[in-house]
Amino acid sequence: MSNLHNYVNKKVLIVTADSRTLVGNLLSCDQQTNLVLGQTIERVIRTHDDDEPSTEVPLGLYIVRGDNVCVVGLVDEALDDSIKWEQVKGSAIGGIKHA
């Protein structure tokens, strides 16, 4: 995953093996896909039948082990800033299954 080095010092979104959605600035990565994120938030998207609003939980400096990383993608910051995340509703992303 050496291509991740192109994402260093950029805002990325990570989906983890346990279905968490993390957004932060990628500070560092290695060949095992271990990631160090700065200014990290976790987006907790509620389902349509949940009356609670979706939330963004600030986590700050955060390390994600490579074996827990499913997806890494660059964030379009203008689009991301235009979305009112507390109003977003959706279905849960399923976890992964180890064979």
Side-chain angles (χ1 to χ4, degrees):
M1 288 222 146
S2 62
N3 290 337
L4 284 178
H5 291 289
N6 297 329
Y7 292 2
V8 171
N9 296 322
K10 295 182 181 169
K11 190 173 183 179
V12 295
L13 182 139
I14 313 294
V15 177
T16 65
D18 59 352
S19 304
R20 295 172 66 195
T21 303
L22 306 170
V23 179
N25 294 321
L26 182 62
L27 301 177
S28 182
C29 60
D30 65 13
Q31 61 270 32
Q32 282 83 35
T33 319
N34 295 311
L35 308 175
V36 179
L37 301 173
Q39 300 173 327
T40 310
I41 58 165
E42 178 181 0
R43 289 199 175 127
V44 181
I45 306 299
R46 304 290 181 184
T47 59
H48 293 282
D49 58 349
D50 192 343
D51 293 332
E52 294 279 327
S54 295
T55 58
E56 292 187 321
V57 180
L59 301 174
L61 186 65
Y62 205 75
I63 297 173
V64 184
R65 284 181 45 129
D67 60 352
N68 198 28
V69 174
C70 287
V71 177
V72 179
L74 284 176
V75 172
D76 180 335
E77 294 192 50
L79 178 62
D80 190 62
D81 292 341
S82 71
I83 297 172
K84 296 178 182 171
W85 289 103
E86 67 278 355
Q87 296 177 0
V88 173
K89 298 287 186 174
S91 300
I93 299 172
I96 64 169
K97 188 163 59 169
H98 294 284

